[in-house]
Amino acid sequence: MTPAGAPTVIIVDDDDLVRASIQGMLKSVGLGSEAFATPQDFLRSQQSDGPSCLILDVQLPGLSGLDFQQELTDAGFQIPIIFITGHGDIPMSVKAMKSGAVEFLTKPFRDEDLLDAIQQALDRDRVRRQQRSLTEELRNRYQTLTAREREVMKLVVSGMLNKQVAAELGTSEITIKVHRGRVMQKMHADSLADLVRMGEKLNLPLGERSPQVTPTPKKAFR
């Protein structure tokens, strides 16, 4: 078993010899692995909580590797994929790479080429996990804001000045300054630019007024 949090290379190939060969090579360089004969066996397994990547055979009985890649994408299952095949062609490799594959290797391939692809895939998954962790932390901070503080944050990161936010929400500028200060403190933002970047990660509306706030109607003057 791979220790918790350690990198794991997952192999899905219906050829017993191929699975054993790759696992032996990975063991020789100190990488943990799990091997499965079918995509269904892989999906039924307990997923690793550390960086991982998937070595996936293109030619599988029933569901092809390319179809399985699409199913994983549709399900929101994010794992870097390295395709291996004994019968690859250019259109097939182009399709795999356009769908996000890290590499497309044709058998027989060199161990060095596979190891290079694995390292790239694991690095990509580490970055993805770090970004996901940071985003979850931002969401937790955002949840500590009051409803009014969230309104203020959305308007501030959209580019509005304090006086514009005050007019939009029908309150005083000094009140907005207080709310803004609390937002900065709760979000751990050191600057407006920092807060804007947080807004982008949280998918808050930027560059336009918040759709959840109805602008205060202006009086017409003759």
Side-chain angles (χ1 to χ4, degrees):
M1 294 293 293
T2 303
T8 303
V9 180
I10 300 161
I11 306 152
V12 177
D13 194 306
D14 62 323
D15 190 317
D16 296 344
L17 293 178
V18 171
R19 295 199 306 273
S21 175
I22 294 176
Q23 282 198 289
M25 183 267 292
L26 293 172
K27 185 177 180 179
S28 71
V29 297
L31 281 172
S33 64
E34 297 178 8
F36 306 94
T38 69
Q40 291 74 23
D41 290 339
F42 162 55
L43 292 177
R44 283 192 291 265
S45 69
Q46 183 175 358
Q47 303 305 314
S48 169
D49 60 356
S52 58
C53 68
L54 172 61
I55 298 175
L56 182 60
D57 188 18
V58 174
Q59 304 294 334
L60 292 170
L63 185 68
S64 74
L66 293 174
D67 289 338
F68 185 50
Q69 178 191 32
Q70 187 60 53
E71 283 196 4
L72 290 176
T73 299
D74 293 343
F77 193 107
Q78 296 180 314
I79 182 171
I81 297 176
I82 301 164
F83 279 104
I84 57 176
T85 181
H87 308 282
D89 54 36
I90 292 177
M92 188 183 295
S93 63
V94 169
K95 180 179 179 180
M97 299 300 284
K98 281 187 174 181
S99 296
V102 174
E103 186 58 275
F104 192 97
L105 299 174
T106 302
K107 303 173 185 177
F109 45 79
R110 300 187 309 159
D111 287 352
E112 292 82 359
D113 292 336
L114 180 57
L115 285 172
D116 286 345
I118 289 171
Q119 190 58 57
Q120 181 182 349
L122 290 176
D123 287 344
R124 180 184 296 185
D125 200 47
R126 285 189 187 94
V127 171
R128 180 187 66 81
R129 288 170 180 269
Q130 290 171 355
Q131 292 176 339
R132 183 180 65 185
S133 178
L134 290 173
T135 300
E136 288 176 353
E137 175 61 25
L138 284 179
R139 289 197 183 103
N140 290 336
R141 295 177 194 172
Y142 186 70
Q143 291 302 316
T144 68
L145 302 182
T146 65
R148 178 46 63 97
E149 287 167 353
R150 292 179 192 178
E151 288 181 319
V152 169
M153 179 175 173
K154 289 178 182 179
L155 294 174
V156 167
V157 300
S158 74
M160 296 178 68
L161 301 175
N162 287 343
K163 62 182 180 180
Q164 294 173 315
V165 176
E168 187 81 5
L169 299 180
T171 188
S172 67
E173 186 174 350
I174 187 63
T175 299
I176 295 302
K177 286 181 179 180
V178 172
H179 285 312
R180 180 168 172 170
R182 289 174 179 168
V183 168
M184 298 287 286
Q185 182 181 25
K186 290 182 179 181
M187 294 301 297
H188 299 177
D190 296 325
S191 65
L192 176 58
D194 197 14
L195 191 66
V196 169
R197 284 191 290 270
M198 293 178 181
E200 290 173 343
K201 288 183 172 61
L202 292 169
N203 294 320
L204 299 184
L206 305 178
E208 59 182 359
R209 294 186 175 185
S210 171
Q212 298 181 8
V213 180
T214 302
T216 303
K218 297 181 179 180
K219 294 181 180 180
F221 293 91
R222 294 184 181 276

